[in-house]
Amino acid sequence: MSAVAKSAPAVIVGTPPFDLARIRRDFPILDLTVNGRPLAYLDNAASAQMPRPVIDRLIQYETREHANIHRAVHYLSETATAAYEGARGKVRRFLNAREEREVIYTRGATEAINLVMHGYGRKFLTEGDEIIVSQLEHHSNIVPWQMLCGEKGCKLRVIPCDERGVLDLDAYGKLFNGHTRLVAITHVSNALGTINPVKDMIATAHAHGVPVLVDGAQAAPHLAVDVQDLDCDFYCFSAHKLCGPTGMGALYGKAGLLEKMQPFQGGGDMILSVTFEKTVYNVIPHKFEAGTPHIAGAVGLGATMDYLAAIGMDNIAAWEHALLSYATQQFETLDGVRIIGTAPEKAAVLSFEVKGVHPHDVGTMLNEEGVAVRTGHHCAQPVMQRFRVPATARASFAFYNTMAEVDQLVAGIRRVQQMFT
Ligand code: PLP
């Protein structure tokens, strides 16, 4: 099979709403060449790259500010505590949470979901209760709930999606019954890019008196998130997908719910007093932050919030949308390439199959061309099963990507097709 251009694509003249060249200079890693080609880093849904201001902030913290927090009166401890707690305020603003105490630091989205499973699920759910998830979930928003079901005798109910990767909202409405206790849904699908109408879905759940956790791991890097407007009960994200450090993330929870929940882990800092007879837990958010946390991670996350705020999430969303539209148009000129996930509302994720070529071979060949994409099941095996594929190749864009990188990707796919036919 050879690649044939179906028709000349309409060229989108993309002008980013920010100085893209200057932005790219903030990311030292983007200067790399891979296999003699300029790196086109299109694996941002897995992890985004870190800009110089965040790197510099981490260096500043490690060289001028580091100490343990909350527990001492000396200069460095107070400085580190101020940086750590100051970053919490930045996350609050980023999510538009009402109060800083509604922001809990976690290791990432995965830990945040596990925190809710332990803190809320294990306390409030019992045998026969039901949890609604969707067919589009990442494993981290399936497995913790399955563990809870196994322990408590609860049941998982699944919202199906159609051939485009759009959730069936009628089916969703019909899943509610007197046993439904929690909805846990992704805001944006990591495998397909579908943006779910979470605001409406939350309203539906609330009409049945059911709280909602939104997995924002793929939404927070790309859309302006307003947890008050969404009215979600929990929202979580990972810093490394937002150009911040790994091992860091945040959980937003409504204060009233967080206060009722049990702690996730026991240890230092999450207590007000301890005797052998009784422990009195600390107030939120500290009740959920046992032990010495990832202080540098929080400081780096704060710097990331500043960096993204300066560009503007709406500007980021607009440019990524332009990249996605252009890439989609270009893909449509390629015979033998199927886009998997064609929802009308999508974030900048392009999952695809090249006819006759295993996705891993597609990824390996694209790497030869300097193009970094992800191949595999994307930790979303139920999505792969839904689309009857073992794996896909996935290009995922960030605001620092260029139209030229899209061209490099498309040229790389043509080369893959030439090599395999
Ligand atoms: N949820 C979604 C939708 C994701 O895409 C990911 C990671 O890819 C996660 C959760 C888990 O994120 P982390 O591994 O950073 O905890």
Side-chain angles (χ1 to χ4, degrees):
M1 183 189 70
S2 61
V4 181
K6 287 176 189 161
S7 58
V11 176
I12 296 174
V13 182
T15 312
F18 42 74
D19 184 344
L20 183 52
R22 191 191 61 71
I23 296 274
R24 284 181 67 85
R25 283 198 294 277
D26 284 341
F27 290 82
I29 209 164
L30 298 181
D31 287 342
L32 286 180
T33 51
V34 172
N35 296 318
R37 314 284 167 125
L39 167 69
Y41 185 75
L42 304 179
D43 193 19
N44 296 286
S47 202
Q49 300 298 344
M50 195 183 275
R52 180 68 76 188
V54 178
I55 298 168
D56 289 346
R57 184 66 191 90
L58 290 171
I59 293 171
Q60 158 83 9
Y61 170 74
E62 297 292 5
T63 55
R64 315 297 296 170
E65 299 173 25
H66 172 71
N68 210 330
I69 53 166
H70 293 153
R71 289 174 210 156
V73 292
H74 61 76
Y75 166 78
L76 279 180
S77 180
E78 285 182 350
T79 307
T81 303
Y84 179 84
E85 291 300 339
R88 201 189 301 275
K90 294 174 188 200
V91 178
R92 184 204 69 70
R93 275 196 296 283
F94 180 76
L95 295 174
N96 193 32
R98 254 175 230 92
E99 305 175 62
E100 281 180 26
R101 68 195 182 113
E102 295 181 314
V103 174
I104 298 159
Y105 290 131
T106 65
R107 281 197 300 122
T110 302
E111 188 175 76
I113 296 166
N114 277 275
L115 190 159
V116 177
M117 186 277 266
H118 282 270
Y120 185 85
R122 293 181 91 192
K123 181 158 182 192
F124 294 114
L125 270 64
T126 55
E127 190 173 353
D129 286 347
E130 295 184 359
I131 303 156
I132 297 177
V133 297
S134 86
Q135 206 167 16
L136 298 180
E137 301 309 316
H138 187 278
H139 296 163
S140 58
N141 202 25
I142 300 173
V143 182
W145 306 117
Q146 278 176 333
M147 292 163 91
L148 184 69
C149 289
E151 179 184 322
K152 296 277 187 175
C154 304
K155 195 169 162 194
L156 215 54
R157 308 291 306 272
V158 182
I159 314 163
C161 72
D162 67 16
E163 281 296 326
R164 299 167 301 165
V166 175
L167 291 182
D168 180 341
L169 295 186
D170 288 339
Y172 169 59
K174 289 182 188 139
L175 290 177
F176 288 90
N177 59 44
H179 301 287
T180 314
R181 295 287 172 266
L182 186 71
V183 173
I185 40 166
T186 192
H187 196 166
V188 170
S189 155
N190 69 315
L192 307 181
T194 310
I195 302 174
N196 290 323
V198 286
K199 186 172 174 180
D200 292 345
M201 295 175 79
I202 291 163
T204 302
H206 286 176
H208 290 88
V210 175
V212 181
L213 174 144
V214 180
D215 172 358
Q218 295 295 342
H222 308 294
L223 316 168
V225 175
D226 182 335
V227 293
Q228 291 190 64
D229 181 55
L230 292 177
D231 198 25
C232 52
D233 301 278
F234 302 103
Y235 196 98
C236 63
F237 68 85
S238 297
H240 69 98
K241 295 185 196 288
L242 277 156
C243 308
T246 53
M248 190 64 210
L251 170 70
Y252 157 82
K254 284 182 179 165
L257 277 172
L258 294 175
E259 276 165 345
K260 282 194 261 176
M261 283 160 57
Q262 62 189 16
F264 175 37
Q265 295 177 325
D269 237 28
M270 53 75 72
I271 56 90
L272 287 177
S273 68
V274 178
T275 65
F276 284 113
E277 288 69 41
K278 183 177 165 58
T279 290
V280 179
Y281 301 136
N282 207 338
V283 294
I284 61 166
H286 310 295
K287 181 169 87 172
F288 295 105
E289 292 177 8
T292 302
H294 188 3
I295 307 166
V299 174
L301 173 58
T304 308
M305 307 275 86
D306 289 342
Y307 187 81
L308 297 178
I311 301 173
M313 290 310 296
D314 290 337
N315 290 333
I316 286 173
W319 179 237
E320 290 178 354
H321 190 262
L323 288 166
L324 178 70
S325 304
Y326 180 57
T328 306
Q329 277 193 8
Q330 295 296 311
F331 271 48
E332 284 167 357
T333 69
L334 296 170
D335 274 340
V337 173
R338 175 164 81 114
I339 297 174
I340 298 178
T342 51
E345 295 293 323
K346 271 184 70 172
V349 169
L350 211 46
S351 249
F352 61 97
E353 266 192 323
V354 180
K355 196 171 168 196
V357 190
H358 192 279
H360 290 289
D361 293 330
V362 173
T364 307
M365 285 289 303
L366 286 176
N367 183 55
E368 294 293 312
E369 304 293 317
V371 180
V373 297
R374 177 128 313 218
T375 58
H377 53 60
H378 315 296
C379 296
Q381 285 183 349
V383 178
M384 300 297 114
Q385 287 149 14
R386 167 67 182 79
F387 286 89
R388 298 170 296 281
V389 291
T392 69
R394 180 188 71 184
S396 54
F397 303 94
F399 56 90
Y400 46 68
N401 286 128
T402 65
M403 297 293 183
E405 289 174 320
V406 174
D407 292 338
Q408 195 177 336
L409 167 67
V410 172
I413 294 171
R414 288 189 200 280
R415 293 249 320 138
V416 171
Q417 291 181 315
Q418 281 158 8
M419 291 291 289
F420 280 84
T421 52

